[in-house]
Amino acid sequence: MNYQPDFPPVPFRLGLYPVVDSVEWIARLLEAGVRTLQLRIKDKRDDEVEAEVAAAIALGRQYNARLFINDYWRLAIKHHAYGVHLGQEDLETTDLKAIQTAGLRLGVSTHDDMEIDIALAARPSYIALGHVFPTQTKQMPSAPQGLEQLARHIARLGNYPTVAIGGISLARASDVLATGVGSIAVVSAITQAADWQAATATLLQLAGVGDERS
Ligand SMILES: Cc1ncc(COP(=O)(O)OP(=O)(O)O)c(N)n1
Ligand SMILES: Cc1ncsc1CCOP(=O)(O)O
Ligand SMILES: [Mg+2]
């Protein structure tokens, strides 16, 4: 697959990609050395989350990190985030041209071949593939795709930057990375860990911090 996104490119290897719901987590993880991360706050109005989104973006910039904002694309544009992450349903209701014109990167969720076709048509900066394993963090309408399906999708996408998500624990991270995926996105492996610093350090060792350039 030829990587010619309509949005600014990202490195093929985005490395460890924690997805968290507060600016406190963003600050901790940046301090721990993470350089790709996402602020994912669900189901609030823009005015309720704007201060948190703006603070997270400012921190991301301070650490020269790749901070993606989930869902709140207008706020991401307003506060000049590195990027935005959108789901399939969001694609229909989002002004993608506005994100592109503002120079933000775009990541898009997919769950199967058809959704990959739809995502590719938007020519995003990266494609997320999920959920790989059962997850307690988000209710999923489909079954987990498993490692075999993930590997098939990675092979199909060639040099397109990819992110695997869903049920990726410390124990499973190596097998996921062995598919050739460029990044592993995790929630509970870090936020529910008995020792989040140790978990983050181990995951950083396995997945890396991501490459500097695309
Ligand atoms: C890296 C990454 N991949 C997938 C998702 C899921 O996004 P979405 O489908 O928009 O669902 P919500 O996260 O909004 O519930 C993600 N956030 N990050
Ligand atoms: C947001 C999201 N999208 C697909 S799976 C998922 C949750 C991943 O969380 P965990 O790493 O705890 O399984
Ligand atoms: Mg979303």
Side-chain angles (χ1 to χ4, degrees), residues 30-42:
L30 288 168
E31 197 52 39
V34 169
R35 287 296 174 266
T36 306
L37 62 182
Q38 182 185 127
L39 181 66
R40 176 177 181 266
I41 300 174
K42 294 305 292 180

Side-chain angles (χ1 to χ4, degrees), residues 17 19 38 40 42 70-71 85-90 108-111 126 128-129 138 163-165 185:
Y17 183 173
V19 174
Q38 182 185 127
R40 176 177 181 266
K42 294 305 292 180
N70 185 50
D71 294 348
H85 184 93
L86 296 176
Q88 290 272 320
E89 320 74 49
D90 307 317
V108 175
S109 303
T110 69
H111 304 92
Y126 75 75
L129 302 156
K138 178 177 164 68
V163 176
I165 188 166

Side-chain angles (χ1 to χ4, degrees), residues 6-78:
D6 268 355
F7 298 81
V10 297
F12 179 79
R13 257 186 297 275
L14 283 168
L16 175 64
Y17 183 173
V19 174
V20 294
D21 64 0
S22 71
V23 75
E24 286 77 20
W25 270 114
I26 298 284
R28 276 181 211 141
L29 290 167
L30 288 168
E31 197 52 39
V34 169
R35 287 296 174 266
T36 306
L37 62 182
Q38 182 185 127
L39 181 66
R40 176 177 181 266
I41 300 174
K42 294 305 292 180
D43 305 325
K44 294 208 170 145
R45 293 191 314 269
D46 279 30
D47 63 294
E48 292 177 296
V49 299
E50 179 158 8
E52 188 117 5
V53 169
I57 293 170
L59 268 175
R61 196 168 308 115
Q62 192 182 316
Y63 282 81
N64 205 16
R66 295 172 285 253
L67 177 83
F68 290 87
I69 300 297
N70 185 50
D71 294 348
Y72 297 95
W73 59 271
R74 288 186 186 83
L75 294 177
I77 291 175
K78 181 173 174 186

Side-chain angles (χ1 to χ4, degrees), residues 19 38 40 70 109 111 130-138 140 165-169 185-189 191-192:
V19 174
Q38 182 185 127
R40 176 177 181 266
N70 185 50
S109 303
H111 304 92
H131 51 312
V132 185
F133 303 109
T135 176
Q136 304 295 317
T137 305
K138 178 177 164 68
M140 304 299 296
I165 188 166
I168 303 177
S169 60
V186 302
V187 181
S188 53
T191 61
Q192 305 295 314

